[in-house]
Amino acid sequence: MIERILTKYSNQFVSRHLILAIDGGVVIGAFVIACILRFNLNISNINWALYKYYLVALLVNRLLCFLYFRSYTGIVRHSSVEDASLIFKATTASSILTIIGSTFLSHSTDNAVFYIPISILIIEYFISLSVMISSRFLVKNIYKTLIANAPGEKVNVLIYGAGTLGILTKNTLLRNRHKKYTIVGFIDDNPSLSFKTVEGVPVYPESEAIKRFVEDEIPNDLEVVLAIHQIKPHRKNQIIERFLKKDIIVKVVPSMYERLNGDQLRSDDIRNIRIEDLLERDPILLDNQNIIRQLSGQTALVTGAAGSIGSEIVRQLIRFKPETLILIDQSESGLYDLENELKQHFRRFLDDATRVIVQVADVTDEVRMRHIFRQYTPQFVFHAAAYKHVPLMEEHPYEAVKVNVFGTKIIADLSVETNVRKFVMISTDKAVNPTNVMGATKRLAEMYVQSLNHRFLKGTRFITTRFGNVLGSNGSVVPLFQKQIRAGGPITVTHPDVIRYFMTIPEACQLVLEAGSMGNGGEIFVFDMGEPVRIADLAQKMIKLSGLRVDKDIQITYSGLRPGEKLYEELLSDKEHTLPTYHPKIQIAQVDEQPFGEISAALQDLKKALREGDKALMVTYLKTVVPEFISNNSEYEELDGLELS
């Protein structure tokens, strides 16, 4: 019954005019009570014929002040100290005005009939003030009690952080109609708050909270909500890891800058911890002025613009206000979605400085690419178009060679032809000691653009950026694991010992822009990917972050390494070493370089194999020109060591 009533009326609020009328009724009642008290409960001694005019004068003053201070506009069930303050201001101001007006009229006219006894006004003031404020908070408490006692899922919550954001989180959760939250305590590192209360909720140090609510009671319905401003990433990880090990659900209140508007915090804003939060590192510091000097007012072209990396490069590029931004991809749906996103979320940049041109095109179509380059003559090219799915490219080497090698060659050659200032290629850690076709094609593309840089010393500067897996990119394990968890499992991991380097998409693209701005040409920039992550550990954390239990709710199965995969990825080969740059997260790889003539001749042979469509011949040519390419767990292992006659 209670639940039906709350559901029916939870989104309906009492009219402001009705609240104003009720406040007026309180004033009338308080005045009558004040008169009765003033005359010692002897009603017959009260001159109601005169006092009714006193009441009208007071009521008019009160209503005018209520209207001025808008004390009647608050939602009663959410009454706060601010609402009480407005009532206090309106009531006090109207009482002062009534006393001043009454005194002035009685003295100026020398007629005592205009004088309202101050004792009555004072009694009425305290009655009105206390009734109006207490009634609001009474309604609020009744509503909270009904919500708390209504049938429904009940959840105990520990809020990590007893500051402003923690208090806001508490109030938001208590207003939730669908879940009945009980705030069992705050956790705060400030020792001066320990074992005190904030808005009636006790504050505990972390060790005491864990002992009391996790280790001793071990409630199955306990959640922890992180509500701390500007927490260091490593500290956030410590907190999350500690509770995840206890199988406690951890949620987070997004920082204010993460929210797109300034609306009041809602329960829906309090989100589950994402795997990106656990891999989050300290913010990357960019040399924004250098990037602005190079890109502002220029024309930049991005291939693979609809992909996960390419689209993020576009989002970040647009902030540096290039004059024209050309987006190339063969995915029409992806480009359409990206164009709409830019119009919606980056309108001020588009209106102020940047023209965005969307081109549905294939980077392997030389005629189409030449037309685009000659029409728009870009000064900067960010080449992100590539096939990157290892098992698929192992099965379809034709597409890998066509796009990753010859698509790159077409874009690079046109960059030289049209005097592009800088060409930035997005490569991968799989190009280091490649064990698969995809990695080998990316390594060959690296070799070609490096050779171009040294052949045309005064022309286009070619820069390569090399990094590992990015979280959430198309084809990465994170979206796959998320789908498998939603489907109830199992999660499939290739091998219990497989490890990978991970970086968030924004982080990787920030470093791409920084490396592109610092590069002088010919460099292969390697990014600091942090510590490698065991994929099996990643799967377990994602299960726990979903509020489920490993092996009980979701199983983890091992399928074996897929064709071309290896247990671990490298950012540098055995023959390579690095040089530092001014940016702590970017190093320059020292690699063996091949002359342009040799690379060009090898590409001609590879192109002949491409025309014939012979997979074995294509891979054999790849192994010849990229000698470190040794297949692993692949049908092409038998081609290792073969020489072409």
Side-chain angles (χ1 to χ4, degrees):
M1 177 68 178
I2 294 175
E3 187 176 21
R4 287 201 303 270
I5 294 173
L6 290 174
T7 301
K8 181 177 180 180
Y9 294 104
S10 58
N11 290 322
Q12 299 180 23
F13 304 102
V14 177
S15 166
R16 294 180 299 174
H17 300 100
L18 178 58
I19 294 174
L20 182 62
I22 292 173
D23 286 346
V26 170
V27 172
I28 294 171
F31 183 83
V32 171
I33 294 171
C35 290
I36 293 172
L37 293 176
R38 167 65 179 78
F39 287 95
N40 297 318
L41 306 181
N42 193 343
I43 300 177
S44 60
N45 291 338
I46 304 173
N47 183 3
W48 292 113
L50 176 61
Y51 274 61
K52 66 181 179 182
Y53 295 108
Y54 293 164
L55 172 58
V56 170
L58 175 63
L59 184 60
V60 169
N61 267 335
R62 285 269 196 266
L63 292 176
L64 289 175
C65 286
F66 290 159
L67 291 169
Y68 178 78
F69 287 100
R70 298 180 62 80
S71 60
Y72 60 96
T73 58
I75 299 173
V76 177
R77 73 182 66 159
H78 301 318
S79 295
S80 63
V81 174
E82 288 75 14
D83 296 304
S85 175
L86 290 176
I87 294 172
F88 172 78
K89 291 176 182 177
T91 307
T92 303
S94 57
S95 291
I96 292 173
L97 288 174
T98 303
I99 292 172
I100 292 174
S102 168
T103 305
F104 174 77
L105 284 174
S106 63
H107 282 289
S108 62
T109 61
D110 197 24
N111 190 341
V113 75
F114 292 109
Y115 180 74
I116 305 175
I118 293 180
S119 58
I120 291 178
L121 293 178
I122 291 175
I123 295 171
E124 184 277 335
Y125 168 78
F126 284 109
I127 294 174
S128 292
L129 185 63
S130 59
V131 170
M132 281 188 281
I133 293 177
S134 62
S135 62
R136 280 165 166 77
F137 282 96
L138 178 63
V139 171
K140 177 182 178 180
N141 286 329
I142 291 172
Y143 181 80
K144 285 171 62 177
T145 302
L146 291 174
I147 287 288
N149 294 325
E153 184 181 355
K154 292 181 170 57
V155 181
N156 294 316
V157 176
L158 274 171
I159 298 177
Y160 209 115
T164 305
L165 189 57
I167 295 170
L168 179 63
T169 302
K170 175 189 79 75
N171 295 330
T172 299
L173 292 176
L174 291 178
R175 288 197 300 266
N176 190 292
R177 303 189 314 273
H178 307 293
K179 281 188 178 181
K180 315 306 177 225
Y181 290 100
T182 300
I183 312 302
V184 297
F186 286 108
I187 303 176
D188 204 283
D189 297 333
N190 186 348
S192 64
L193 291 176
S194 296
F195 303 105
K196 295 177 180 168
T197 61
V198 173
E199 293 194 352
V201 178
V203 182
Y204 303 99
E206 183 181 298
S207 57
E208 177 65 23
I210 290 177
K211 181 178 183 300
R212 182 174 301 213
F213 298 105
V214 179
E215 294 176 352
D216 291 350
E217 300 181 14
I218 317 180
N220 293 323
D221 57 352
L222 180 66
E223 292 183 2
V224 174
V225 178
L226 278 177
I228 310 175
H229 278 304
Q230 299 177 336
I231 185 173
K232 291 285 186 182
H234 75 274
R235 177 61 181 142
K236 180 194 285 186
N237 291 343
Q238 284 179 349
I239 296 170
I240 295 170
E241 292 279 4
R242 185 169 291 120
F243 287 105
L244 283 183
K245 287 178 181 177
K246 304 289 185 181
D247 291 328
I248 302 296
I249 296 175
V250 183
K251 296 184 177 181
V252 65
V253 179
S255 300
M256 304 311 280
Y257 68 84
E258 287 184 274
R259 296 167 60 208
L260 296 178
N261 54 54
D263 293 343
Q264 187 180 27
L265 182 69
R266 299 170 300 175
S267 297
D268 293 342
D269 293 328
I270 302 172
R271 61 171 174 81
N272 288 329
I273 293 289
R274 297 190 289 251
I275 196 67
E276 293 94 320
D277 297 315
L278 294 179
L279 297 175
E280 191 177 66
R281 291 181 279 270
D282 290 329
I284 294 174
L285 300 177
L286 299 181
D287 186 358
N288 287 327
Q289 291 306 312
N290 186 34
I291 300 175
I292 289 173
R293 278 195 300 271
Q294 294 195 39
L295 289 172
S296 180
Q298 303 296 309
T299 298
L301 181 148
V302 181
T303 68
S308 49
I309 296 294
S311 61
E312 181 61 26
I313 289 176
V314 170
R315 294 183 194 99
Q316 296 194 20
L317 274 176
I318 205 168
R319 300 177 189 276
F320 295 102
K321 298 182 179 179
E323 181 180 20
T324 305
L325 199 51
I326 305 158
L327 316 184
I328 295 178
D329 205 294
Q330 61 180 347
S331 169
E332 59 170 344
S333 298
L335 279 178
Y336 176 79
D337 292 340
L338 178 60
E339 185 179 26
N340 284 334
E341 178 192 340
L342 296 178
K343 289 177 180 177
Q344 182 176 358
H345 297 303
F346 296 87
R347 181 173 299 279
R348 67 185 181 93
F349 293 102
L350 301 181
D351 292 343
D352 293 344
T354 302
R355 177 178 60 141
V356 173
I357 298 172
V358 173
Q359 296 286 329
V360 180
D362 186 343
V363 294
T364 63
D365 185 341
E366 186 173 357
V367 174
R368 179 87 165 98
M369 290 300 106
R370 175 169 276 107
H371 174 76
I372 292 173
F373 270 77
R374 287 182 174 176
Q375 181 177 1
Y376 299 109
T377 59
Q379 286 90 36
F380 292 85
V381 170
F382 294 86
H383 181 51
Y387 281 128
K388 59 185 179 180
H389 198 281
V390 170
L392 274 178
M393 292 304 101
E394 205 72 6
E395 187 177 346
H396 303 284
Y398 178 94
E399 294 299 330
V401 171
K402 178 186 174 186
V403 174
N404 294 358
V405 177
F406 290 104
T408 299
K409 182 179 185 301
I410 288 171
I411 301 300
D413 290 344
L414 288 171
S415 296
V416 173
E417 186 179 314
T418 57
N419 296 313
V420 168
R421 189 182 305 170
K422 282 188 178 181
F423 175 103
V424 181
M425 174 185 165
I426 312 300
S427 189
T428 171
D429 57 357
K430 294 175 178 62
V432 182
N433 293 329
T435 60
N436 50 69
V437 170
M438 192 282 282
T441 56
K442 293 297 284 184
R443 176 60 189 141
L444 182 51
E446 288 182 358
M447 294 164 64
Y448 182 72
V449 298
Q450 269 197 306
S451 70
L452 271 181
N453 191 81
H454 292 287
R455 178 173 176 81
F456 303 101
L457 295 177
K458 295 184 179 180
T460 304
R461 300 295 84 198
F462 288 90
I463 298 156
T464 299
T465 61
R466 184 191 285 173
F467 51 88
N469 300 275
V470 286
L471 286 173
S473 65
N474 298 328
S476 74
V477 296
V478 172
L480 173 62
F481 287 173
Q482 289 171 336
K483 289 179 182 177
Q484 291 175 334
I485 290 171
R486 285 195 293 268
I491 284 184
T492 54
V493 178
T494 55
H495 191 282
D497 297 323
V498 68
I499 63 173
R500 293 290 183 265
Y501 291 95
F502 282 100
M503 180 177 279
T504 65
I505 294 175
E507 190 177 16
C509 294
Q510 283 177 321
L511 292 176
V512 167
L513 295 187
E514 183 72 25
S517 68
M518 75 165 68
N520 295 314
E523 304 97 339
I524 293 181
F525 288 106
V526 180
F527 298 163
D528 175 11
M529 299 291 297
E531 295 297 320
V533 177
R534 284 182 71 246
I535 300 301
D537 292 342
L538 183 73
Q540 290 180 9
K541 288 178 181 177
M542 290 186 67
I543 292 171
K544 291 181 178 180
L545 290 175
S546 301
L548 303 170
R549 295 166 295 178
V550 179
D551 295 331
K552 292 184 178 180
D553 300 314
I554 301 287
Q555 298 286 328
I556 296 177
T557 60
Y558 297 98
S559 59
L561 290 175
R562 297 175 297 178
E565 284 191 325
K566 50 186 175 181
L567 285 177
Y568 60 93
E569 302 292 356
E570 307 157 272
L571 293 178
L572 294 171
S573 71
D574 296 336
K575 296 181 180 179
E576 296 172 334
H577 59 279
T578 61
L579 295 174
T581 68
Y582 64 77
H583 198 290
K585 292 183 179 288
I586 303 175
Q587 292 86 40
I588 301 174
Q590 299 295 289
V591 299
D592 293 332
E593 298 176 8
Q594 300 291 327
F596 175 77
E598 291 183 15
I599 297 292
S600 295
L603 288 181
Q604 289 301 319
D605 293 335
L606 185 59
K607 199 164 193 175
K608 292 177 184 176
L610 198 67
R611 291 195 191 101
E612 294 183 19
D614 187 329
K615 294 201 300 184
L617 186 59
M618 280 183 275
V619 175
T620 303
Y621 272 114
L622 267 179
K623 290 178 179 292
T624 302
V625 71
V626 185
E628 65 268 31
F629 172 24
I630 307 296
S631 294
N632 183 48
N633 191 34
S634 169
E635 62 181 289
Y636 306 122
E637 289 181 62
E638 61 185 23
L639 303 177
D640 292 331
L642 290 182
E643 293 186 5
L644 291 166
S645 57

